[in-house]
């Protein structure tokens, strides 16, 4: 009375096609998506670089000069150029998405998405100008 | 129902995303490109120290650095899940991303306290 159990490999109901690991390189929108997601790596990179620059101020003139000299090396300039492009991409995609996350209504009227994106870009300009003024007047 | 702390991480992600989007392009361009390339004058050690000495400046820098790191932690966690399909390594990724951001924030607090 023994029935050999027979399993059906790849049962139609259970079978799932496996996604290739690099699924996101096939379409432009996917590359855009993954690039946007990877900007966070460069945000963290610059946050840490800034922190190390600040740390030299606790360690004296020599540490400060050495860090500034490192910033002039081709490696640092290349890394920072890539980081700048990626962080600028982060800013642009962030501000363009903001109207979708932020729906403001005044009474019956919804503030148009373009106005919210515009306020974000204006804020970007104000922050950039203020930081530039602080650094250039130091 | 288990209480989720997801909204908290999302709030950090949002705050960090906004603050880094507003401040980092200008800071990076000026301090890491324009200054080393000689397009603008490099502040002296004393001037730079003076600039960041005010408690409000240090508080701002702490917020900027720690929130930027927390923004990375949350976003990179999902980049690893979705981009590389690493859902099965969830706990390791969570510890690496949020843990890294928290350790970095503590280090930032320590450095900025000494300024």
């Amino acid at each position: 009375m023994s029935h050999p159990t027979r399993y059906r490999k790849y049962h139609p109901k259970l079978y799932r096609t496996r996604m290739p690991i690099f699924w996101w390189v096939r379409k432009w929108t996917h590359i855009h998506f993954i690039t946007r997601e990877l900007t966070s790596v460069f945000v963290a990179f610059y946050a840490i670089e800034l922190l190390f620059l600040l740390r030299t101020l606790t360690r004296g003139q020599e540490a400060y000069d050495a860090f500034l000299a490192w910033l002039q090396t081709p490696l640092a300039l290349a890394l920072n150029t890539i980081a700048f492009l990626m962080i600028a991409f982060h800013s642009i995609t962030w501000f363009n998405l903001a109207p979708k996350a932020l729906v403001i209504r005044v009474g019956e009227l919804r503030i148009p998405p373009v106005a919210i994106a515009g306020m974000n870009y204006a804020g970007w300009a104000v922050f950039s100008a203020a930081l530039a003024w602080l650094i250039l007047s130091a | 129902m288990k209480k989720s702390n997801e909204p908290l991480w999302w709030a950090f992600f949002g705050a960090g995303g906004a603050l880094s989007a507003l401040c980092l392009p200008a800071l990076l361009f000026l301090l890491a490109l324009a200054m080393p390339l000689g397009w603008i004058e490099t502040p002296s050690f004393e001037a730079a120290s003076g600039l960041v000495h005010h408690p409000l400046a240090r508080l701002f820098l702490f917020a900027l650095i720690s929130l930027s790191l927390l923004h990375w932690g949350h976003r990179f966690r999902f980049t690893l899940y979705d981009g590389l399909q690493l859902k099965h390594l969830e706990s390791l990724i969570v510890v690496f991303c949020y843990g890294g951001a928290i350790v970095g924030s503590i280090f930032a607090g320590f450095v900025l306290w000494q300024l």
Side-chain angles (χ1 to χ4, degrees), chain B residues 15-71:
Chain B
L19 200 56
S20 60
L22 289 169
C23 302
L24 289 190
L27 284 177
L28 196 162
F29 181 76
L30 293 166
L31 299 176
L33 294 173
M35 223 166 71
L37 290 170
W39 299 341
I40 61 170
E41 213 176 311
T42 305
S44 68
F45 179 80
E46 288 74 23
S49 303
L51 190 61
V52 297
H53 188 69
H54 195 280
L56 279 179
R58 288 188 279 163
L59 198 65
F60 164 73
L61 287 164
F62 177 72
L64 177 64
I65 292 169
S66 61
L67 288 172
S68 293
L69 292 175
L70 289 162
H71 166 82

Side-chain angles (χ1 to χ4, degrees), chain A residues 18-24 33-34 36-62 64-65 68 71-72 76-77 80-81 83-84 87-88 90-95 97 101 120 123-125 127-129 131-138, chain B residues 10 13-33 35-38 40-52 60-61 64-69 71-73 75-79 81-86 104-105 107-115:
Chain A
R18 258 192 77 76
M19 281 285 269
I21 284 197
F22 294 102
W23 59 266
W24 39 270
F33 162 77
I34 213 78
R36 192 191 73 199
E37 297 307 295
L38 283 175
T39 59
S40 74
V41 174
F42 295 89
V43 167
F45 165 78
Y46 193 68
I48 292 167
E49 189 187 303
L50 183 63
L51 181 56
F52 275 90
L53 173 63
L54 291 164
R55 193 170 83 124
T56 64
L57 297 175
T58 68
R59 313 191 120 200
Q61 180 84 52
E62 262 175 55
Y64 183 66
D65 291 342
L68 293 181
L71 284 177
Q72 290 181 317
L77 287 169
N80 285 323
T81 303
F84 177 69
I87 291 174
H90 162 65
S91 298
I92 293 164
T93 52
W94 189 269
F95 297 138
L97 268 180
N120 277 282
W124 190 14
F127 268 77
S128 301
L131 289 166
W133 180 77
L134 278 170
I135 290 169
L136 292 172
S137 62
Chain B
W10 200 89
F13 161 75
L19 200 56
S20 60
L22 289 169
C23 302
L24 289 190
L27 284 177
L28 196 162
F29 181 76
L30 293 166
L31 299 176
L33 294 173
M35 223 166 71
L37 290 170
I40 61 170
E41 213 176 311
T42 305
S44 68
F45 179 80
E46 288 74 23
S49 303
L51 190 61
V52 297
F60 164 73
L61 287 164
L64 177 64
I65 292 169
S66 61
L67 288 172
S68 293
L69 292 175
H71 166 82
W72 164 79
R75 188 168 238 184
F76 195 59
R77 171 187 167 194
F78 290 101
T79 310
Y81 284 1
D82 301 333
L84 299 177
Q85 301 175 54
L86 296 175
S105 299
F107 181 53
F110 179 70
V111 168
L112 291 163
W113 189 259
Q114 291 178 312
L115 275 179

